[in-house]
Amino acid sequence: MNIILLGAPGAGKGTQASKIAENYKLLHISTGDIFRANIKGGTEIGKLAKSYIDAGKLVPDEVTCKIVEDRLTWDDAKHGYMLDGFPRNLYQAQQLDKFANIDLCLNINVDEALLMDRICGRRVCSCGESYHVSTLNGATTCAKCGSELYQRADDNPDTVKARLETYNTQTAPLIDYYKSQGKLASVTSGKGSPDEVFEQIRKILDK
Ligand code: AP5
Ligand code: MG
């Protein structure tokens, strides 16, 4: 099964991707994580991506589509995957249709008022886990691997505002794109805890 996780910044795509990967053995491919790894590694892609990410804008389509198209040719993607953060505009969705067979687009709906707090309170680990300060009880290390947690460079109020604007203008139209293909399923993560949201997802995936 090949799935797209769609949702605004802070909707819980990464949080739910970890749970889906654990329970359904699907490979998690996050374009945001790929760009951050490239920034850390000082690659040419990382240097290019950083200016766009810091501004809350989309990294150019040619670069992003090529990364995903290449990644899907790896052996580990042959048994099913989740795309987290791709596609992010209509052009990327049309390109994806040329090189992949998508079964389902899972749209995570969250009231926009909750997103700023969720993102600015997020702390992440290099192993991929993410937390919120409200549930960390002062802990500064990852419960899974023990590494020190840190805050993402783009998790500040000004960049979050720009990311939300980019989502509303460029990414939200994909909801209708996948609805018209009969592939859309939506879950709501308003007041639900991550586990409650995952229960909704489980019902959809088990059908
Ligand atoms: P990316 O890394 O994809 O960031 P994003 O879309 O802004 O999404 P986030 O990772 O911020 O949120 P999330 O939905 O994963 O939420 P999370 O689970 O962490 O992209 C970053 C940048 O890279 C982009 O801005 C762009 O520049 C570039 N880029 C990436 N892909 C691209 C593409 N295809 N094309 C061009 N450019 C691209 O949860 C957030 C917080 O909420 C956490 O603290 C979590 O603990 C908490 N939380 C989660 N669920 C719940 C819940 N149910 N209740 C309470 N708290 C919750
Ligand atoms: Mg994420």
Side-chain angles (χ1 to χ4, degrees), residues 93-115:
Q94 287 163 344
Q95 292 305 111
L96 180 65
D97 279 342
K98 293 180 188 167
F99 58 75
N101 288 315
I102 298 301
D103 301 297
L104 180 74
C105 174
L106 208 48
N107 176 38
I108 307 178
N109 278 314
V110 187
D111 190 345
E112 192 165 316
L114 293 173
L115 298 174

Side-chain angles (χ1 to χ4, degrees), residues 152-168:
R152 261 169 54 177
D154 60 343
D155 283 356
N156 63 77
D158 285 344
T159 309
V160 174
K161 270 189 215 142
R163 285 158 63 193
L164 288 171
E165 168 78 14
T166 301
Y167 170 79
N168 286 325

Side-chain angles (χ1 to χ4, degrees), residues 8-198:
K13 301 180 296 294
T15 301
Q16 295 304 323
S18 297
K19 294 177 184 296
I20 298 170
E22 210 171 287
N23 285 271
Y24 293 88
K25 310 294 172 220
L26 294 179
L27 175 71
H28 177 201
I29 300 173
S30 156
T31 40
D33 287 350
I34 292 172
F35 287 133
R36 283 184 286 277
N38 275 278
I39 292 171
K40 203 172 165 194
T43 68
E44 287 307 312
I45 286 177
K47 284 177 201 154
L48 172 87
K50 189 173 183 330
S51 58
Y52 293 94
I53 292 177
D54 286 349
K57 294 183 174 159
L58 296 184
V59 177
D61 288 336
E62 316 82 72
V63 178
T64 311
C65 290
K66 172 126 185 29
I67 286 174
V68 177
E69 185 172 7
D70 286 349
R71 184 65 187 84
L72 294 186
T73 64
W74 295 22
D75 276 353
D76 60 357
K78 295 212 160 58
H79 307 293
Y81 52 80
M82 281 169 282
L83 293 175
D84 162 2
F86 184 93
R88 248 176 154 99
N89 61 24
L90 206 51
Y91 177 80
Q92 292 182 7
Q94 287 163 344
Q95 292 305 111
L96 180 65
D97 279 342
K98 293 180 188 167
F99 58 75
N101 288 315
I102 298 301
D103 301 297
L104 180 74
C105 174
L106 208 48
N107 176 38
I108 307 178
N109 278 314
V110 187
D111 190 345
E112 192 165 316
L114 293 173
L115 298 174
M116 184 65 79
D117 170 67
R118 276 199 188 179
I119 299 176
C120 294
R122 172 170 51 194
R123 296 295 179 272
V124 294
C125 178
S126 52
C127 77
E129 275 303 300
S130 76
Y131 301 87
H132 192 271
V133 281
S134 61
T135 57
L136 276 170
N137 297 321
T140 58
T141 52
C142 176
K144 281 211 171 157
C145 75
S147 300
E148 203 62 36
L149 300 175
Y150 61 95
Q151 190 165 21
R152 261 169 54 177
D154 60 343
D155 283 356
N156 63 77
D158 285 344
T159 309
V160 174
K161 270 189 215 142
R163 285 158 63 193
L164 288 171
E165 168 78 14
T166 301
Y167 170 79
N168 286 325
T169 54
Q170 301 195 49
T171 311
L174 295 183
I175 296 171
D176 281 341
Y177 181 81
Y178 288 105
K179 196 187 275 177
S180 72
Q181 291 191 356
K183 292 179 179 171
L184 189 79
S186 292
V187 296
T188 306
S189 112
K191 293 191 178 97
S193 69
D195 284 341
E196 285 164 346
V197 178
F198 181 63

